[in-house]
Amino acid sequence: MASICSAALSGCRSLAPAIALVLALGGCTTGIQFAGGDKEGGGDAPPTEKITEQLIDSERRAYVDQARQDLTPLIVPNPSPYTIGQGDVLSIVVWDHPELAGGGMTTATAAADTGTIAPNVIPPGFAVDHLGRIQFPLIGLQHVEGQTEEQARTMLTKKLARYIAQPSVTLRVQSYRSKRVYIDGEVKAPGLQAINDIPMTLVEALNRAGGMLPSADQSRIVIERGPRRYQINLRELVQKGVNPGSMLLAHGDVVRVHSRDESKVFVSGEVVTPRALTMHNGRLTLNEALGESGGVSPLSGDARQIYVVRKTPERTRVFQLDARASGALAMAESFELRPKDVVYVAASPLANWNRHLSLLFPGALTSAVGVTTRP
């Protein structure tokens, strides 16, 4: 027994200088470290900002100001009727005068008999040419682009009245081919959608595309109109009382629904399960991120040193939360994360000490302890 104790004591004595060195090193390496971050050597390291109620309010106001944009060009509560455009095909019937239907009526009848229209075949009717005109019997070329069905019908009736007594004209758009929008991204059926007599609102366009997929991020819908880009957050619109059904799309608009996988938050360090988390339609709090990662590791994590690293176009920002402080849980629930944020939990001083000792003398401390516990 005496020999075992003397061996253990001699092992501990041999480790004493190294343990003292490791303790000194461990006290200097807690928390997040940045190159050039020492007080004497330079100012490359970003300052650490404590997460407080004041900072949370400031960040919320800054985010609202940054996200604010003028959506007035998109919001049209009372859409105008559809106007005829180049490429549209019109069905025009002059009652009691079937001869004025031209060759289109024969084609229409044949198509009705077979029930199908072959691909690349122009639908029967009167096509609007590149100058916005149609060729109609008796009255020749007539400009109809930009007119509603009712306006075009009134115009043709007046023109035909010179040749026919009290003409009765029926006009409607048979094939909508002049205006379209493109739907892309996380929808069931991406592609072109023709604008017809039903107003093409944002909700209508998404529904025609089969609806959004479960992977769609409803907070990141982009509408591109020429050089302008509008960022649409459906959740915030509803909260502000804006009806997405009043957002009218125009010819040439491109609607892109982004994926939730593009807006991830990364949780690393001393947590139970380090992982990448997808945001919930643009929203994820610090408390939720820690909870979905299993929380701070009870064996090695330092609850006083929870960091959020955020890369902005101007600089890198580092926020710190002391989870042991009063009201810390409420602040963690109120602190909104942003896409690509990195949540890092630092190791406790004891965990750092153990790791440094294991790196310098792998297995030495275990051997010394094993000697004392060996029967």
Side-chain angles (χ1 to χ4, degrees):
M1 181 66 181
S3 60
I4 293 177
C5 292
S6 61
L9 288 173
S10 62
C12 291
R13 289 192 191 99
S14 63
L15 289 175
I19 291 175
L21 175 62
V22 170
L23 285 173
L25 291 174
C28 299
T29 55
T30 57
I32 254 182
Q33 301 295 320
F34 293 93
D38 56 286
K39 296 182 180 179
E40 301 176 358
D44 295 336
T48 301
E49 306 174 54
K50 297 289 185 179
I51 297 179
T52 61
E53 295 289 351
Q54 293 76 15
L55 183 137
I56 292 173
D57 291 338
S58 175
E59 287 297 304
R60 184 180 293 115
R61 289 193 298 268
Y63 177 74
V64 170
D65 293 339
Q66 183 181 7
R68 184 179 292 116
Q69 56 182 333
D70 184 17
L71 298 179
T72 305
L74 298 178
I75 299 176
V76 183
N78 299 310
S80 302
Y82 180 86
T83 56
I84 300 170
Q86 300 174 16
D88 285 343
V89 178
L90 308 181
S91 172
I92 304 174
V93 176
V94 182
W95 295 97
D96 297 328
H97 292 276
E99 70 279 2
L100 298 182
M105 185 61 68
T106 304
T107 308
T109 304
D113 293 339
T114 59
T116 60
I117 298 179
N120 303 323
V121 173
I122 298 177
F126 297 88
V128 181
D129 65 14
H130 66 287
L131 297 177
R133 306 171 303 177
I134 60 170
Q135 178 77 30
F136 197 78
L138 297 182
I139 57 177
L141 290 172
Q142 299 296 323
H143 190 274
V144 294
E145 183 181 9
Q147 300 182 20
T148 64
E149 291 181 348
E150 182 178 355
Q151 292 170 340
R153 180 171 58 252
T154 302
M155 182 269 295
L156 289 180
T157 301
K158 291 181 179 179
K159 296 285 186 178
L160 290 172
R162 302 176 183 176
Y163 308 97
I164 301 173
Q166 298 182 344
S168 178
V169 180
T170 298
L171 182 147
R172 64 181 181 85
V173 179
Q174 182 169 293
S175 181
Y176 298 90
R177 304 193 302 172
S178 63
K179 305 177 184 68
R180 59 190 65 189
V181 298
Y182 186 79
I183 315 296
D184 190 20
E186 300 301 304
V187 292
K188 291 183 179 179
L192 290 173
Q193 297 291 337
I195 299 177
N196 54 23
D197 56 332
I198 300 175
M200 181 65 80
T201 63
L202 176 59
V203 174
E204 177 70 18
L206 294 175
N207 287 337
R208 291 191 192 181
M212 290 183 284
L213 297 173
S215 58
D217 187 348
Q218 297 185 21
S219 68
R220 299 185 64 215
I221 299 176
V222 178
I223 299 178
E224 297 182 6
R225 179 173 294 177
R228 298 290 304 274
R229 290 172 57 92
Y230 299 93
Q231 300 282 346
I232 307 299
N233 187 327
L234 289 183
R235 182 175 63 88
E236 289 186 357
L237 282 181
V238 174
Q239 291 177 349
K240 294 177 181 178
V242 179
N243 182 10
S246 64
M247 305 183 71
L248 190 68
L249 302 180
H251 171 58
D253 283 357
V254 178
V255 180
R256 286 191 172 90
V257 181
H258 288 270
S259 172
R260 291 173 54 193
D261 290 338
E262 300 176 17
S263 303
K264 286 190 175 182
V265 170
F266 306 94
V267 184
S268 62
E270 305 305 316
V271 291
V272 176
T273 310
R275 57 188 301 189
L277 302 174
T278 55
M279 305 186 76
H280 310 301
N281 291 324
R283 184 184 180 277
L284 188 69
T285 66
L286 177 57
N287 193 38
E288 291 171 337
L290 292 173
E292 293 187 27
S293 301
V296 178
S297 173
L299 299 178
S300 59
D302 188 352
R304 299 168 300 177
Q305 298 189 82
I306 301 176
Y307 298 92
V308 177
V309 182
R310 178 174 299 165
K311 180 69 175 178
T312 65
E314 297 81 17
R315 59 193 174 96
T316 299
R317 303 181 65 184
V318 180
F319 306 95
Q320 181 182 1
L321 175 70
D322 182 356
R324 295 184 179 181
S326 176
L329 292 180
M331 288 187 290
E333 180 60 28
S334 301
F335 188 82
E336 297 276 350
L337 299 176
R338 304 289 176 241
K340 308 302 181 183
D341 277 358
V342 176
V343 179
Y344 176 81
V345 179
S348 64
L350 181 60
N352 278 324
W353 175 83
N354 180 48
R355 289 169 184 171
H356 283 293
L357 187 63
S358 299
L359 288 174
L360 290 175
F361 302 98
L365 184 60
T366 304
S367 300
V369 173
V371 169
T372 64
T373 58
R374 190 177 302 158

